[in-house]
Amino acid sequence: MKNSQVNVTKEIADDNYFYLRSCIRQNFFPGAENVFLDILKNKLGKNIIDNANHTSCTGIGYHSDIVPYETYQTMVARQFALMTEHGFRNAAVSCITSYGGYHEVLETWKEFPEEEAKARKNLKNATGRCFEIPENISHSCDIIYRFRHDIAELAKYKLINKQTGKPLRIVDHIGCHYAKIFPDKGVGGAEKNTVLSAVVEAWGGESVDYPERRHCCGFGFRHYLVKNNRSYSISNSKKKFESMEPYCPDMIVTNCPGCNMFLDKWQYALAKIEGKTYSGDKNGIPVLSSEELAALVLGYNPWDIGLQMHQVDVEPLLEKIGFDYNPDEKYLDANGNFMGKPEFIGCLD
Amino acid sequence: MRTMMQKLREDVRLKEGLNACMGCGICTAVCPAAEYFEYDPRSIVVTVQSGNEEKIRKLIESDTIWMCGQCMSCKPRCPRNNCPGLIISVLRRVSQETGAFVKSRLGRQQYLILKTIGTNILETGYCVYPASVVPETHPEQGDVWKWIYDNKEAVYERVGANLDKEGPGAMRKIGRENLDELERVFAESGGQTLFTSIVEYSRAYAKESGFVDANGQPDMEKYTDFLLNEDNDEK
């Protein structure tokens, strides 16, 4: 059996996490990171630290090749040093690119100890810092997976269509760097990943398979970063939407901040280009991260967690769940004042 | 003078990514870039494995190595645990260190990435930063992003972020001391050298291609405009 087909059960730390944020998630879905911290601290009673001194791991620069591997290793070493200084050995990672990157660096150091020595020297010379190798590196989706049954017990809502009584039909998209680089680091491995489908089922939904489930969202790093190249990115997302369409999903759940953003925004862009959606309505298929989905079943106010920042409107999904929310609060600022609203929400007029 | 193969072998990722390719082509079969471009990761691995200096030199001067999207879909499917995506990273490094990247249209785009992502990293501590996702250059981000962009302070505050402010939180201001550390890491570990290499080779290419100011110096604004509009049919 190939390693990618092994039914992986990975170790996921159960407490005392050092949180490492994601550049993309902070930009586009900052509420998802905030609510993840809140769920862990205030719903699950876990200890997780949000440290102001960590920076980008520079993974997007690394995979678009402007950041050399030696620099990337040293940047990762700096994150580990901050963890060490705070007495933490378990990383909780928000970003999938970082998650793959941290594991890549650790694997390199196992195989080539001289690389670790070089990273230690670079870090010491540049910052005076030292680090210990983390005991556990988990992605936020791993932690949600680990506590999915606890969350189900605390849940106010199930992923069930309130009108029909049937489970919501949910397709998942796993960010490539979660399990493709190191299949043993992802729950279920690369081919039969279950980290999101198990969560969906634990909360009452139906996990729906589709042929291109494993296909990349199309970020492609340099292919999205350079405007001329973005057709690569949108073409790959289109392939996924075409593959999902016959299964009529109620929503898409993702574990990767970038994928979440692309699957949300490219539906809009494709609608503008093609004049069609893949949802059977004009809105498009709502795309939520595992953090946002956990927050919804726990009954968080959707506007506190930032769901008004999605291009594809989430309100039809809230209606299906029978979620008790106030649409009039969607565009109110922190003081309750109207802050204007987008000219257009969803995909098609 | 080091050979191309020596330059490639200096990078541990070549050892990690290339064991013994049997040319089965499963990497090409699952590769999103191979579906989109005329691109074949299998043949790239075979070329590197052959050690043929001339072919490798042509490879690092070509568009081909810049077509990979770094999704690493090739990695779990290879029966021999090779990773073409990682080999590509090594080829790209050597292409940038030697200046070969300016010989290809896609390679030249590294200057654009340096100007956006590289600048973000050093100036803000983030790869992506809200103020740099300008709606006019990101029409795909849609009307909701435009609304967020136009109302950044209020929207980020509403969802509990800490945009450009001291302390922890999403999109917090990364303080000068941390940015100074980041800059020193880049200086110590070769990051700054690579930045300089990309800039200097790009400046030389700009000058050679006639993008110069009144004093005959490279005009990098004109060159940037050229890169932004350089399409598939060019040259």
Side-chain angles (χ1 to χ4, degrees), chain A residues 27 34 54 78 222 224 231, chain B residues 36 106 140 156 160 172 178:
Chain A
N27 258 263
N34 290 349
H54 80 289
R78 185 177 182 274
R222 70 187 324 280
Y224 177 74
S231 51
Chain B
Y36 183 79
L106 293 177
E140 78 289 348
Y156 280 84
R172 70 211 172 277
N178 289 306

Side-chain angles (χ1 to χ4, degrees), chain B residues 7-54:
Chain B
K7 286 176 186 160
L8 296 177
R9 283 194 185 119
E10 282 166 10
D11 196 316
V12 292
R13 294 172 300 174
L14 193 75
K15 295 180 192 123
E16 291 176 314
L18 180 57
N19 297 306
C21 173
M22 60 182 173
C24 70
I26 194 167
C27 52
T28 302
V30 299
C31 175
E35 200 172 334
Y36 183 79
F37 299 107
E38 280 187 33
Y39 174 71
D40 179 13
R42 185 197 63 87
S43 66
I44 291 174
V45 176
V46 168
T47 298
V48 172
Q49 188 169 252
S50 76
N52 184 307
E53 285 289 305
E54 185 55 21

Side-chain angles (χ1 to χ4, degrees), chain A residues 102-301:
Chain A
Y102 296 150
H103 283 297
E104 181 182 346
V105 168
L106 288 174
E107 289 298 312
T108 293
W109 289 352
K110 268 188 214 164
E111 202 177 340
F112 303 97
E114 67 276 16
E115 291 289 313
E116 181 184 337
K118 206 159 42 177
R120 285 187 182 279
K121 187 171 165 241
N122 286 338
L123 184 70
K124 186 77 178 172
N125 289 346
T127 70
R129 297 181 192 272
C130 301
F131 67 92
E132 289 178 27
I133 300 288
E135 284 174 7
N136 185 269
I137 294 191
S138 294
H139 188 261
S140 48
C141 72
D142 292 323
I143 297 167
I144 290 170
Y145 167 86
R146 171 156 188 156
F147 297 114
R148 66 193 184 283
H149 298 303
D150 303 78
I151 291 170
E153 279 181 24
L154 297 167
K156 289 187 178 168
Y157 297 97
K158 285 194 166 188
L159 300 175
I160 287 174
N161 186 318
K162 199 181 178 188
Q163 281 202 327
T164 65
K166 290 183 178 170
L168 294 181
R169 295 172 59 75
I170 300 177
V171 292
D172 68 31
H173 172 75
I174 305 288
C176 289
H177 290 197
Y178 173 66
K180 283 179 182 169
I181 304 177
F182 301 106
D184 64 330
K185 305 298 182 200
V187 178
E191 298 293 358
K192 294 180 179 174
N193 201 280
T194 52
V195 72
L196 295 179
S197 56
V199 161
V200 163
E201 286 165 7
W203 300 342
E206 179 189 356
S207 174
V208 179
D209 199 6
Y210 61 103
E212 296 298 345
R213 194 173 178 180
R214 294 151 197 85
H215 196 79
C216 176
C217 75
F219 178 14
F221 296 93
R222 70 187 324 280
H223 294 316
Y224 177 74
L225 299 175
V226 177
K227 191 179 175 188
N228 281 5
N229 301 353
R230 285 182 197 147
S231 51
Y232 170 93
S233 185
I234 195 170
S235 299
N236 281 289
S237 282
K238 178 177 158 67
K239 180 171 175 167
K240 289 199 72 91
F241 298 136
E242 284 175 344
S243 179
M244 294 172 189
E245 188 179 17
Y247 301 89
C248 306
D250 293 302
M251 65 164 282
I252 302 168
V253 61
T254 70
N255 63 350
C256 171
C259 305
N260 209 95
M261 185 267 280
F262 289 117
L263 294 177
D264 182 52
K265 306 301 168 76
W266 284 138
Q267 284 189 76
Y268 161 85
L270 282 165
K272 295 292 168 202
I273 295 165
E274 300 179 311
K276 72 161 284 190
T277 63
Y278 295 87
S279 58
D281 64 11
K282 290 184 175 181
N283 182 47
I285 312 166
V287 191
L288 268 64
S289 63
S290 54
E291 291 92 334
E292 291 166 335
L293 194 60
L296 273 192
V297 299
L298 288 167
Y300 280 82
N301 179 338

Side-chain angles (χ1 to χ4, degrees), chain A residues 2-4 21 23-24 26-28 30-31 33-34 50-56 58-71 74-75 78 104 107-108 111-112 114-115 121-123 125-127 129 176-177 179-183 190-191 214-216 220-232 235-236 239 261 265-266 268-269 301 303-306 308-311 329-334 339-345, chain B residues 10-13 15-16 26 30 32-33 35-37 66-73 75-79 81 86 88-89 92-93 96 105-110 112-114 116-118 121 125-131 133 136-148 151 154-161 167-174 177-179 181-182 184-186 188-192 194-195 198 227-231:
Chain A
K2 281 178 59 186
N3 64 352
S4 58
R21 289 179 177 271
C23 295
I24 290 185
Q26 289 177 84
N27 258 263
F28 296 102
E33 292 201 343
N34 290 349
D50 181 20
N51 175 267
N53 292 323
H54 80 289
T55 66
S56 168
T58 71
I60 292 175
Y62 170 55
H63 284 290
S64 58
D65 306 281
I66 58 162
V67 173
Y69 193 36
E70 191 174 331
T71 299
T74 314
M75 288 304 300
R78 185 177 182 274
E104 181 182 346
E107 289 298 312
T108 293
E111 202 177 340
F112 303 97
E114 67 276 16
E115 291 289 313
K121 187 171 165 241
N122 286 338
L123 184 70
N125 289 346
T127 70
R129 297 181 192 272
C176 289
H177 290 197
K180 283 179 182 169
I181 304 177
F182 301 106
E191 298 293 358
R214 294 151 197 85
H215 196 79
C216 176
F221 296 93
R222 70 187 324 280
H223 294 316
Y224 177 74
L225 299 175
V226 177
K227 191 179 175 188
N228 281 5
N229 301 353
R230 285 182 197 147
S231 51
Y232 170 93
S235 299
N236 281 289
K239 180 171 175 167
M261 185 267 280
K265 306 301 168 76
W266 284 138
Y268 161 85
N301 179 338
W303 317 137
D304 287 350
I305 66 169
Q308 66 276 51
M309 294 176 79
H310 291 234
Q311 178 63 39
E329 291 177 358
K330 193 171 184 177
Y331 300 113
L332 299 186
D333 68 13
M339 52 182 168
K341 64 179 200 176
E343 278 186 28
F344 176 71
I345 308 149
Chain B
E10 282 166 10
D11 196 316
V12 292
R13 294 172 300 174
K15 295 180 192 123
E16 291 176 314
I26 194 167
V30 299
E35 200 172 334
Y36 183 79
F37 299 107
W66 303 101
M67 291 172 179
C68 165
Q70 289 283 289
C71 67
M72 304 294 178
S73 298
K75 170 78 164 56
R77 279 76 185 238
C78 176
N81 212 22
L86 213 51
I88 290 288
S89 299
R92 288 176 175 179
R93 178 184 63 75
Q96 291 179 122
R105 179 182 70 87
L106 293 177
R108 285 191 284 276
Q109 293 172 340
Q110 288 307 97
L112 297 176
I113 298 172
L114 182 68
T116 51
I117 304 301
I121 290 172
Y126 297 99
C127 283
V128 189
Y129 185 69
V133 188
E136 286 70 27
T137 54
H138 286 275
E140 78 289 348
Q141 287 289 336
D143 295 81
V144 173
W145 175 253
K146 186 175 186 312
W147 166 74
I148 296 166
N151 299 278
V155 176
Y156 280 84
E157 185 188 13
R158 173 67 187 89
V159 302
M171 287 325 313
R172 70 211 172 277
K173 180 181 179 183
I174 292 179
E177 284 178 14
N178 289 306
L179 291 177
E181 278 194 25
L182 194 155
R184 290 200 298 274
V185 165
F186 270 63
E188 189 71 28
S189 61
Q192 194 55 57
L194 181 59
F195 277 21
I198 294 169
L227 293 178
L228 287 170
N229 294 298
E230 193 177 22
D231 61 30

